[in-house]
Amino acid sequence: DCFRKTEELAHHFEKGIGRELHEQLVAQDNQNKHTSYITGPWFDMYLKSREPVVLNFNAFMSFNPDPKSEYNDQLIRATNMTFSALRFMKTFRAGYLEPEVFHLNPEKSDTQMFKKIIRFVPSSLSWFGAYMVNAYPLDMSQYFRLFNSTRLPKLNKDELYTDEKAKHLLVLRNGNFYVFDVIDRDGNILKPSEIQAHLKYILSNNSPAPAFPLGYLSSENRDTWALLRKHLLDNGNEEALQKVDSAVFCLSLDDFPVKDFVHLSHTMLHGDGANRWYDKSFNLIITKDGTAGINFEHSWGDGVAVLRFQNEVFKDSTKTPAISPQSQPASVDSSRAVQKLDFKLNDALKAGITKAKQKFDDSVEALSLNMIQFHEGGKDLLKQKKLSPDAVAQLAFQMAFFRQYNQTVATYESCSTAAFKHGRTETIRPASIHTKKCSEAFVGELSKHSTEELQKLIAECSKYHGRLTKEAAMGQGFDRHLFGLRYLALSKGIALPDFYQDQAYARLNHNIISTSTLVSPAVQLGGFGPVVSDGFGVGYQVHDDWIGCNVSSYPTRNGKEFLQSIYKSLEDIFNVLKGKKISS
């Protein structure tokens, strides 16, 4: 009944108002060749949201430890990573950063030979050379927001602010704010030994934690924070806030070691609220034992830009570190070079911070993070069986949810559309009739199927998921298109078409399983909060011979059980692929 109604609304939409909106959208896109039709609406979606950025939007990716253990000292690593980050920034601004390229056939195009040749082809023709070998240069327009950038809270809609002239670094420790210049008058990076000296000074500074840590404000509801920010400005903090907002980036130095992967995820995803500035484009977080990670604000950019930055910083800081454990800090007067920011707080501001802390603590208290590592197979075995590793991981999530809750729900997997100018992301929809059929067979009807039949069902899922992934990456998904049409209708003051008011559309966009994957030599794990209160946030990596998965959830869902169920699903899938009989 519901399905018939949705079908009818969809046909109506397709023939009527939907078609008109689509024609307008195409015309608008043709008039704006310099950008993508999704760019404006997508920035708006993020910046108009009034939810706190922490847990709702900010994501984290944690670095692998330095292979040379003595380099994982907090001061050494903070110095080396800061220096490498600044080198990346300078290389990028000078226009020398190698372009990001998506290689469909890496054997042909990801070679020194190709890179040498393509360098000498004029840019008007270089796309053709790349096209010939199936290598697509990716959009890098987000990169400039990595540095000197902050999301400023404003009533109704936030603003992205960037000040590339600022030369200082923001360092947070124990809830206190410090700044010092890392770029000199001539635009050169400060000597590594001087950066080391200043960071050492900050690490040995015994100022007590502030009674009212300002960091909590950046975790508030955006309108609440916008009003409090106005108070801060009116109360004589303009200069100090300007320093925070324009800083090259925020380095957060935590005073405790990391206990385990769960503790690591909590530290990088939200931390204690006092030693972070969640509005900065990113916080580089380094704990007492030298564990490092990045927490990034999501409106300005997507995982691809941050991941490229992390890969380069990891490679540079481990292969050619600026200082070694034997290096001595420069004998400079850090007490003059480093400025501790002091904020003038009145009673209204103190009350605002207290309330923000209470809300932050409650949210974090409600969040569970759990993880598993599956060591019975990975990418190698799946590729050997001609299956898509990503498809198999996603199938395991579907199977797990079906086992736990006996239903199929809206599922979201993000896919970069950086192959397009100003592209952001498109949604892959991993829940399909194929995954449902396969889940039913594995969870409830094992006795009815032979191992061969089960293998065939897995292959069907893989084939279909591969198709969806290709469509999404090539801009042929449906989520952003429908989003763009809806945005256009609202911006033109047209009554929202019935299609968008249907329950099916609401359910499709209530993503109970939200997923994102990355595999990189620099990153050990990444994660984010659930996007709905009754959802799961699933970060996963399919390695050559193992699969890692971490899940965030709130009290209405049991993340630990979901993970056990994912483990069981992976076990069953791999056993079937190995030709073993399995039991329910």
Side-chain angles (χ1 to χ4, degrees), residues 124-153:
S124 58
L125 292 175
S126 60
W127 66 270
F128 186 72
Y131 179 72
M132 291 299 284
V133 292
N134 259 335
Y136 298 90
L138 300 183
D139 176 76
M140 294 171 75
S141 63
Q142 298 173 3
Y143 283 52
F144 83 99
R145 292 257 191 227
L146 267 166
F147 304 105
N148 300 101
S149 299
T150 296
R151 172 174 173 160
L152 301 178

Side-chain angles (χ1 to χ4, degrees), residues 271-502:
D272 67 354
N275 213 41
R276 304 283 181 272
W277 194 255
Y278 301 108
D279 289 356
K280 275 312 263 181
S281 53
F282 70 89
N283 287 245
L284 170 59
I285 301 156
I286 302 183
T287 61
K288 195 80 187 148
D289 58 357
T291 304
I294 277 185
N295 176 295
F296 67 98
E297 198 280 311
H298 219 319
S299 64
W300 66 269
D302 303 300
V304 277
V306 182
L307 188 61
R308 170 72 189 270
F309 170 67
Q310 283 195 250
N311 286 341
E312 301 279 358
V313 165
F314 183 76
K315 194 166 90 181
D316 192 63
S317 64
T318 54
K319 295 257 171 29
T320 53
I323 63 164
S324 76
Q326 286 70 47
S327 304
Q328 287 305 309
S331 42
V332 285
D333 185 1
S334 294
S335 65
R336 281 186 57 191
V338 178
Q339 180 195 355
K340 180 169 177 283
L341 300 180
D342 284 309
F343 296 92
K344 304 178 189 67
L345 305 177
N346 58 18
D347 290 345
L349 286 165
K350 288 177 182 173
I353 291 171
T354 305
K355 198 169 170 199
K357 179 185 188 324
Q358 190 53 55
K359 283 161 82 171
F360 174 85
D361 290 344
D362 291 347
S363 310
V364 164
E365 185 59 38
L367 178 84
S368 297
L369 294 174
N370 295 282
M371 60 196 47
I372 52 158
Q373 291 186 351
F374 175 82
H375 283 282
E376 290 168 50
K379 203 183 285 171
D380 290 348
L381 184 93
L382 298 173
K383 284 265 171 79
Q384 196 186 311
K385 302 277 180 198
K386 304 214 176 346
L387 295 170
S388 145
D390 190 57
V392 170
Q394 289 287 346
L395 172 61
F397 307 152
Q398 292 303 315
M399 216 179 265
F401 197 91
F402 187 78
R403 178 178 284 116
Q404 203 177 350
Y405 299 102
N406 199 29
Q407 63 178 148
T408 299
V409 290
T411 307
Y412 181 108
E413 177 183 357
S414 66
C415 173
S416 170
T417 47
F420 296 90
K421 191 172 183 69
H422 293 186
R424 293 286 308 237
T425 56
E426 179 53 275
T427 309
I428 299 169
R429 290 286 177 182
S432 66
I433 44 174
H434 304 286
T435 57
K436 185 170 188 244
K437 204 169 140 189
C438 193
S439 300
E440 284 167 350
F442 271 80
V443 174
E445 309 163 354
L446 269 181
S447 52
K448 297 184 197 163
H449 298 279
S450 68
T451 305
E452 285 71 37
E453 283 167 0
L454 294 173
Q455 287 174 344
K456 221 166 135 180
L457 287 170
I458 296 169
E460 283 294 302
C461 292
S462 173
K463 204 170 100 189
Y464 185 68
H465 189 80
R467 203 180 95 198
L468 289 183
T469 305
K470 210 160 257 163
E471 283 173 5
M474 287 296 148
Q476 298 295 312
F478 63 84
D479 279 86
R480 298 298 176 272
H481 186 191
L482 289 176
F483 178 86
L485 297 175
R486 181 175 181 272
Y487 180 91
L488 186 64
L490 291 174
S491 69
K492 295 246 187 218
I494 300 168
L496 194 62
D498 293 342
F499 171 73
Y500 289 111
Q501 300 186 49
D502 184 32

